[in-house]
């Protein structure tokens, strides 16, 4: 996964060497793009750090590392143009398979003159001056909220959040198991997204305290709106969750990718740390793709491992210490 990010950083060199004055690097979640003295803005918490909700300030150069989701990328461009000095330069770097090739067309109305300045290793670097005409920017988070309807209610979400405002099929399968679970004190929704599982936990266990964590600031912000009486943490894996929190149920539809690359770090952390975080009678319930050797992974840490639900593509596992 970091290999891709390191390649992107090497291709970005043409931008990096031209950047001077006050600079901002946007969406380089892996911290691989090094521009001397530059500020950084990122919606994803990296290890322990998360940034502000929206980039602030005025910059001479801004370099955006492409976000693969189209509207989320568009949002980054609007936010960056808002922070760009009138004579400033916007740079964009990303892989062809992340949509960088079609960006000049997609952004034509906002930035008519965007040039491709380097093409290497199936990546591109784009450059544009800040357009002179008055820009109609959607210049704050409040301009990007959407409301979706599923599971017989409305859900608030921001661009780039998981499942694009739909109910994910893996999540749907996990929700079937929830009524058969036990919880009377505290439940954790690990990698909570916009809070779909948390909300169903609330419906099934009206009295329990609910914690949710996600490394995406915007997912957490959405979850806070969707399940106002739960506590949500912006956290890369367990890193920002209070150490003393214990649970009688941990539920998760864990991430298996980061951008286009497969990445099981958060799943492995979920399995290895859950045992310590559960009360003795507690359980971990997770849904994963059928092919993943999760039974073996779970058996290394847990005494009882049981398959609760399955479809052709997804399996729901329950594990007890
Ligand atoms: C498969 S989605 C599940 C979302 C939600 N629970 C649902 O079922 O709709 C996985 C979530 O994991 C989050 N995520 C990815 N990597 C993470 C990490 N290292 N730490 C915490 N959350 C992470 C993503 O932002 C995404 O919201």
């Amino acid at each position: 996964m970091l290999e891709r990010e390191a390649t992107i950083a090497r291709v970005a060199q043409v931008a990096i060497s031209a950047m001077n004055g006050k600079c901002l690097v946007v969406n380089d979640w892996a911290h691989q793009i090094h521009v001397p003295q530059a500020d950084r803005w990122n919606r994803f918490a990296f290890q322990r750090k998360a940034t502000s909700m929206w980039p602030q300030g005025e910059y001479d150069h801004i370099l955006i590392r492409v976000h693969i989701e189209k509207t989320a990328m568009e949002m980054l461009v609007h936010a960056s143009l808002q922070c760009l000095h009138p004579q400033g330069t916007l740079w964009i770097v990303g892989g062809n398979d992340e949509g960088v090739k079609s960006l000049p067309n997609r952004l034509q109305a906002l930035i008519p003159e965007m040039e491709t300045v380097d093409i290497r290793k199936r990546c591109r670097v784009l450059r544009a001056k800040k357009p002179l005409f008055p820009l109609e920017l959607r210049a704050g988070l409040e301009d990007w909220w959407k409301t979706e309807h599923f599971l017989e209610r409305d859900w608030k979400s921001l661009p780039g959040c998981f499942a694009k405002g739909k109910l994910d099929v893996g999540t749907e399968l996990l929700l079937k198991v929830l009524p058969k679970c036990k919880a009377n004190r505290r439940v954790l929704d690990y990698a909570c997204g916009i809070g779909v599982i948390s909300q169903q936990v609330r419906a099934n266990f009206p009295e329990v305290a609910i914690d949710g964590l996600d490394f995406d600031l915007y997912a957490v912000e959405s979850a806070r709106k969707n399940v106002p009486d739960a506590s949500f943490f912006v956290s890369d894996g367990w890193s920002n969750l209070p150490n003393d929190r214990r649970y009688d149920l941990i539920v998760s539809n864990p991430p298996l990718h980061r951008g286009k690359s497969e990445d099981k770090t958060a799943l492995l952390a979920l399995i290895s740390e859950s045992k310590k975080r559960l009360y003795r009678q507690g359980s971990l319930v997770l849904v994963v793709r059928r092919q993943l050797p999760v039974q073996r992974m779970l058996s290394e840490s847990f005494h009882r491992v049981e398959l609760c639900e399955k479809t052709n593509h997804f399996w729901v596992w329950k594990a007890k210490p």
Side-chain angles (χ1 to χ4, degrees), residues 177 180 285 306-310 316-318:
V177 174
K180 300 173 210 154
V285 174
E306 154 195 6
L307 181 63
C308 303
E309 277 287 346
K310 62 178 184 174
V316 181
W317 294 95
K318 184 190 271 189

Side-chain angles (χ1 to χ4, degrees), residues 99-160:
V100 71
K101 253 173 154 178
S102 59
L103 268 178
N105 265 343
R106 272 165 39 207
L107 297 172
Q108 175 73 28
L110 196 63
I111 312 174
E113 286 174 35
M114 182 174 283
E115 45 178 345
T116 302
V117 290
D118 203 2
I119 305 178
R120 267 185 307 140
K121 298 187 183 290
R122 295 192 215 110
C123 298
R124 282 174 188 229
V125 181
L126 313 177
R127 177 177 60 197
K129 295 302 284 179
K130 183 163 179 169
L132 292 174
F133 56 83
L135 290 171
E136 287 189 15
L137 294 178
R138 297 162 74 187
L141 207 54
E142 59 287 355
D143 298 328
W144 294 89
W145 283 105
K146 279 185 310 183
T147 305
E148 311 290 348
H149 194 87
F150 56 88
L151 285 174
E152 295 174 15
R153 58 158 279 171
D154 286 343
W155 299 88
K156 295 279 177 201
S157 78
L158 287 163

